Amino acid sequence: MAKITVAKNAGYCYGVRRAIEKAESLGGKGQKVYTAGPLIHNKFVVEQLEGKGIFSREDIESIPDGAAVVVRAHGITLEQQRRLLEKGCQLEDATCPHVGRIHRIVEEESEKGRHILLIGAGKHPEVLGIASRCKSCTILENPAQAEEWAEKNSQIAVSVVSQTTFNREIFVNCTKILKNACKSINIFDTICNATDERQKEARTLASGSDLVIVIGDQTSSNSRRLYEICLQVCPDTLFVENAKGIPEGYGRGKQAIAIAAGASTPDLIIKEVYDKMTDEMNIQETESFAELLEQTLKTLHTGEKVTGVITQINPTDIHVDLGVKQAGYIPTTELSDDPNYVIADNIHIGDEIEAYVMRVNDQEGTIMLSKKRLDAVKNWEVLEKAVETGEVYDCVITDVNKGGVIANVLGIRVFIPASQTGLPREADLSQMVKTHQKVRITEVTRPRRRVVGSIKAPLMEARREAAAKIWEEIEVGSVYTGTVKSFTSYGAFVDIGGVDGMIHISELSWSRVKHPSDVLKIGQTVEVYVIALDKEKKKISLGYKKAEDNPWTKFESNYNVGDVVPVKIVKFMPFGAFAEVLPGVDGLIHISQIADRRIGKPEEVLTIGETVNAKITDIDSEKKKISLSIRALLDASNTEPEEVEAEENDAE
C-alpha cells in the first residue's frame, strides 16, 4: 500500500516563524509596515504579507521616513540599519537568533584584531549582513577559494564562521584546509542545528522513497540545498514552489513518497501538496496533516520530563532533537555532577536521552535541558533504597567540611562525618580530597536534601573479612606486606591486611634502636614475617630485620683472630672501651690493652667517636663477643692479652 511521509522538520524554522509573527503583530495595528528586503525567501508569503499591510522594499531609500520597519530574519547590514535610523524609522528586529549570535561573534573577534573568514554564499543577504559587522572579512564559497586564500595569508590570525544555512560538507572541507595552513585560527560552527537536522532527515527519507517532493521558493538557498541532497539519493525528486507545480497524475504507481520543505515554506503550501498527493494516490489518511503539524508545533514547559535524540556533541553543549520546532540543548555542565564523568564514554550521536526542561526561550527558539537534574530525582530514590540494602558505592571526595568530608555519589552531595572517614582522630582530612573511596549510605532525608555516608563501615567490613581469611591461613614463617599503623616505646604495630601484628623493637634492626621511629614511618609499606602467634589471644609477633642483614654473620664471614681493623670508639666503661667493628658489631678493648703503660681510665687515651686501629685477639661466636687490642700493635714484644673475660662478665 502506498504511503506518504511528511518530514518532521518540514516548513518554517523557529527564526522564520518568529519574524512573520512580529511583522503580523505590527501590521495588525492598522499601520503600514515595511521590511528591508523580503522578510523571508518565499514570494507567496511576501504577497500574503502585503495583503496585511506589510510591504517589502529592497531599496532602503524607498521606505518612508519614520515608518515601522521589520528587520528580516536574515538580518540587514550595519549601513542599512544606520540609514533607517537616520530616517527616523522604528525598527522591530526579527533577525534570526542564530544569525544574531554570528553578529556578536564576528564583532568580538574583530575587536581582538582577528581577520574574519566567512564561509557562505557571497551575495546572500545574511552573509552581507554578517560581513558588514567585521573590521576585515573575506567571504569563501568553496574549498578552492579557502586553499587559495590560505596559501597567501597563513600568518594572519583568523576566526572562521559560516552562513547558518550553508552546506556543512563544504564548511567542513574549508575548515580542514584552513586548520592545516593557518597558524592562529578560531573556528565557530555556526551552521544552524535546525538546518542540519532538516538536511539529515531529508536524506534519510529520500533514501527510502520512490519519489520525493521538495517544496520551497526558487530563491531560497536552504530549499535548493534540500533538493540537491534528495536528488543525490532518489533520482525521482521534484522541486516545486506549491501544489500547482506537480503534474497531474504524478507519482501514481509509487509506493513510498516523501515530502520535504525549506525553512521559508508555510504550512499551508505543505498541506496543499500533501492533500494533492493524497488525492492522486487515492490514499486513505490514517493521520491528518493537521495532527502531524500539531505534533511539530507543540510547546514544552519548564519542569517537564522529555525524551529526545542526541544530534550533535560540542565542547560546551549537546544538541537534542525533541520533535518540536525549538532547538533543545544540554549545557555540558548539566550532564552530570560526577567529577569523573567523561562525555565520550557516556553519550553518542543517535543515543536517546531523557532530560528535564529547565527553560524555554521563545525569543531565541531554544529549550535548555538538564540531564543531571532528572538523574538526581531518580538517584534520590536509589539512595533511599541503599540505606536498607547496604549497597556500597564508589565515589570521589570533593571537599572538606566542618566535621567531615564531602563526596559525590550518583550526582548527589554526601556528607561523611570525620568519625566515619576511617582516619584516626585529629588526622588531617584534607589528605582525602580527590581520593577514590567506597561509601555506604547510612541516612537520607530528602526534604532537607541531606545524605550521610560512611567510609569506615565498608572498610571495617572488608577488614573483618580479610582478618578471618588471615587467621585461617596464617602460620609461623608466613610473609606479609603490611602498613605501619602506630608506635609504642617497645615496638611498632603493623596492619597486615585486616589484622594487626607487633614488631618488637629488638626485631626492627640488627643495630641498636632507641625508638621504632628511628627505623620506620607511620603509613610506610613494609614486608614482615611471622615469628610467633597466639590464635586464642589473637596476638601476632612479627619480624622485620632480615637474617641476611645480620651484622654478626657478615663479621664472621670477613674477619678472623689476628686481623688488624679500624674501629670507632663508642662507649667507655671502668674496665675498658667498646669499639664498633661493623655497624651492629662491637668489640671490647680492655683497659690493659689500650696503651703500653698503665692508665687509670680509658678516656685518658681515647675519645668517643675516635677511629683507631686494633687487633682482633679473640672471637667468642657462641656469646658473640670480640676482644680487641691496641697495645698489641704498640708492644714490640707482642705480649699476649691478659685474661679479661671474668672482669667483663662481672661488669655485665
Side-chain angles (χ1 to χ4, degrees):
M1 181 178 177
K3 181 181 179 182
I4 299 175
T5 304
V6 179
K8 182 175 62 177
N9 290 298
Y12 287 163
C13 66
Y14 175 79
V16 168
R17 190 178 299 279
R18 174 173 168 269
I20 291 173
E21 288 175 353
K22 284 199 173 196
E24 288 180 340
S25 67
L26 288 177
K29 296 177 181 178
Q31 60 179 328
K32 274 193 175 183
V33 177
Y34 295 87
T35 62
L39 190 64
I40 63 173
H41 281 158
N42 190 288
K43 292 189 293 290
F44 173 78
V45 175
V46 171
E47 290 172 1
Q48 274 197 327
L49 290 173
E50 286 187 359
K52 298 178 180 180
I54 303 164
F55 302 93
S56 171
R57 293 290 185 267
E58 288 285 2
D59 182 10
I60 296 295
E61 298 304 325
S62 66
I63 297 176
D65 293 354
V69 179
V70 179
V71 176
R72 59 185 170 185
H74 292 310
I76 58 177
T77 67
L78 280 179
E79 175 59 27
Q80 289 173 324
Q81 178 179 297
R82 182 190 62 78
R83 183 66 188 116
L84 287 170
L85 291 174
E86 286 177 351
K87 289 164 63 67
C89 295
Q90 302 169 9
L91 301 186
E92 179 70 21
D93 191 1
T95 303
C96 172
H98 297 293
V99 177
R101 172 174 171 262
I102 304 176
H103 289 174
R104 293 190 294 274
I105 290 172
V106 298
E107 287 169 353
E108 291 170 2
E109 294 298 296
S110 289
E111 285 298 322
K112 297 174 184 176
R114 304 182 73 87
H115 183 73
I116 307 301
L117 293 179
L118 172 51
I119 301 175
K123 296 182 180 180
H124 194 282
E126 177 189 320
V127 172
L128 297 176
I130 295 169
S132 74
R133 287 163 171 81
C134 308
K135 290 185 177 180
S136 63
C137 176
T138 301
I139 299 171
L140 305 173
E141 295 189 338
N142 52 58
Q145 291 180 2
E147 191 166 5
E148 182 181 355
W149 188 92
E151 286 178 1
K152 300 175 182 177
N153 304 282
S154 61
Q155 301 300 317
I156 298 176
V158 298
S159 295
V160 184
V161 296
S162 172
Q163 178 184 339
T164 56
T165 56
F166 203 59
N167 184 319
R168 175 166 290 281
E169 185 179 352
I170 295 177
F171 174 73
V172 170
N173 289 335
C174 286
T175 54
K176 282 182 181 178
I177 293 168
L178 295 169
K179 275 195 292 188
N180 290 333
C182 298
K183 293 195 174 180
S184 176
I185 183 169
N186 293 336
I187 297 175
F188 298 88
D189 185 349
T190 55
I191 293 179
C192 176
N193 184 54
T195 299
D196 267 351
E197 293 309 304
R198 189 184 301 270
Q199 293 178 358
K200 287 177 186 176
E201 184 186 18
R203 186 184 296 277
T204 301
L205 283 177
S207 65
S209 301
D210 304 318
L211 169 66
V212 180
I213 298 174
V214 177
I215 314 166
D217 195 286
Q218 295 294 325
T219 62
S220 169
S221 61
N222 76 83
S223 298
R224 181 157 294 280
R225 179 58 187 155
L226 282 181
Y227 169 67
E228 292 168 353
I229 289 172
C230 293
L231 189 61
Q232 289 175 357
V233 291
C234 180
D236 199 351
T237 297
L238 184 66
F239 186 19
V240 299
E241 291 190 347
N242 50 49
K244 294 177 182 178
I246 302 174
E248 293 296 325
Y250 191 74
R252 288 178 186 169
K254 303 291 185 181
Q255 293 301 306
I257 298 174
I259 297 175
S264 300
T265 306
D267 301 327
L268 177 63
I269 291 180
I270 301 174
K271 183 179 187 309
E272 287 178 352
V273 171
Y274 177 82
D275 289 344
K276 180 170 183 176
M277 294 310 298
T278 301
D279 292 340
E280 288 284 353
M281 305 297 292
N282 195 24
I283 296 174
Q284 186 69 35
E285 293 185 65
T286 57
E287 191 172 21
S288 71
F289 180 83
E291 291 171 334
L292 293 171
L293 180 61
E294 180 63 27
Q295 291 175 15
T296 67
L297 295 180
K298 72 176 182 178
T299 301
L300 297 177
H301 302 283
T302 300
E304 282 190 61
K305 172 186 169 184
V306 294
T307 301
V309 176
I310 296 171
T311 59
Q312 190 173 328
I313 299 176
N314 298 322
T316 57
D317 56 31
I318 311 302
H319 291 199
V320 180
D321 180 5
L322 299 172
V324 296
K325 286 293 183 181
Q326 296 100 325
Y329 72 97
I330 306 174
T332 51
T333 54
E334 289 295 326
L335 282 171
S336 174
D337 272 332
D338 184 352
N340 296 310
Y341 186 87
V342 179
I343 292 177
D345 295 342
N346 289 277
I347 62 172
H348 309 87
I349 291 176
D351 287 355
E352 194 170 78
I353 189 168
E354 287 185 327
Y356 170 90
V357 177
M358 290 175 61
R359 184 170 67 249
V360 179
N361 190 325
D362 288 327
Q363 287 296 316
E364 296 186 359
T366 57
I367 299 175
M368 183 188 290
L369 306 169
S370 173
K371 178 180 180 295
K372 72 179 183 182
R373 299 195 187 192
L374 182 62
D375 290 344
V377 173
K378 297 178 181 178
N379 291 338
W380 276 99
E381 298 174 357
V382 172
L383 294 187
E384 284 175 332
K385 292 179 182 177
V387 175
E388 301 173 5
T389 63
E391 186 172 352
V392 174
Y393 294 93
D394 291 320
C395 69
V396 174
I397 304 302
T398 59
D399 200 2
V400 176
N401 200 355
K402 184 178 180 181
V405 296
I406 305 300
N408 185 296
V409 178
L410 300 179
I412 296 174
R413 180 181 183 275
V414 177
F415 173 66
I416 301 166
S419 62
Q420 295 300 312
T421 61
L423 293 182
R425 185 177 297 177
E426 305 302 328
D428 181 9
L429 298 180
S430 64
Q431 65 183 293
M432 298 187 72
V433 175
K434 295 184 179 179
T435 62
H436 290 261
Q437 303 289 341
K438 292 186 179 296
V439 63
R440 174 168 291 148
I441 306 303
T442 58
E443 178 188 337
V444 176
T445 310
R446 205 195 297 199
R448 294 176 57 194
R449 301 188 66 79
R450 174 180 168 84
V451 182
V452 180
S454 171
I455 294 172
K456 183 178 179 180
L459 280 177
M460 293 300 292
E461 184 176 309
R463 185 177 173 84
R464 284 194 294 271
E465 292 176 358
K469 185 176 181 181
I470 284 177
W471 282 114
E472 286 179 8
E473 302 173 350
I474 195 169
E475 57 185 26
V476 173
S478 296
V479 177
Y480 294 96
T481 298
T483 303
V484 179
K485 287 186 65 179
S486 61
F487 296 139
T488 67
S489 60
Y490 52 84
F493 285 92
V494 177
D495 179 357
I496 59 174
V499 176
D500 287 350
M502 192 195 76
I503 308 172
H504 191 271
I505 196 167
S506 63
E507 293 296 330
L508 285 171
S509 174
W510 292 103
S511 303
R512 290 187 182 89
V513 176
K514 292 182 179 180
H515 190 271
S517 60
D518 295 339
V519 180
L520 302 175
K521 294 180 180 179
I522 299 295
Q524 181 180 345
T525 300
V526 293
E527 188 175 271
V528 294
Y529 53 92
V530 179
I531 56 177
L533 62 95
D534 187 331
K535 290 190 176 183
E536 289 186 5
K537 296 182 178 179
K538 301 295 183 184
K539 290 185 177 181
I540 302 172
S541 296
L542 301 172
Y544 178 65
K545 61 185 184 182
K546 304 293 188 292
E548 58 268 26
D549 296 331
N550 188 337
W552 184 263
T553 302
K554 291 181 180 179
F555 172 78
E556 287 191 315
S557 299
N558 294 283
Y559 297 93
N560 298 293
V561 173
D563 289 349
V564 176
V565 294
V567 299
K568 184 170 74 173
I569 306 303
V570 295
K571 185 179 181 181
F572 292 139
M573 298 294 290
F575 53 82
F578 284 97
E580 182 185 75
V581 181
L582 290 174
V585 177
D586 293 346
L588 174 67
I589 309 172
H590 190 267
I591 193 169
S592 65
Q593 298 301 311
I594 291 176
D596 54 2
R597 67 184 188 281
R598 181 175 295 278
I599 59 175
K601 293 186 282 187
E603 50 263 46
E604 291 178 10
V605 177
L606 301 173
T607 57
I608 298 296
E610 178 184 4
T611 298
V612 297
N613 287 328
K615 184 176 182 179
I616 300 174
T617 58
D618 186 48
I619 299 173
D620 187 334
S621 297
E622 185 177 342
K623 296 182 179 180
K624 292 184 173 52
K625 291 183 177 180
I626 303 169
S627 295
L628 301 169
S629 173
I630 298 173
R631 177 181 172 184
L633 301 178
L634 301 174
D635 193 342
S637 62
N638 197 24
T639 304
E640 288 296 317
E642 298 179 7
E643 185 62 45
V644 298
E645 182 176 343
E647 290 187 47
E648 288 180 42
N649 291 336
D650 291 343
E652 293 178 357

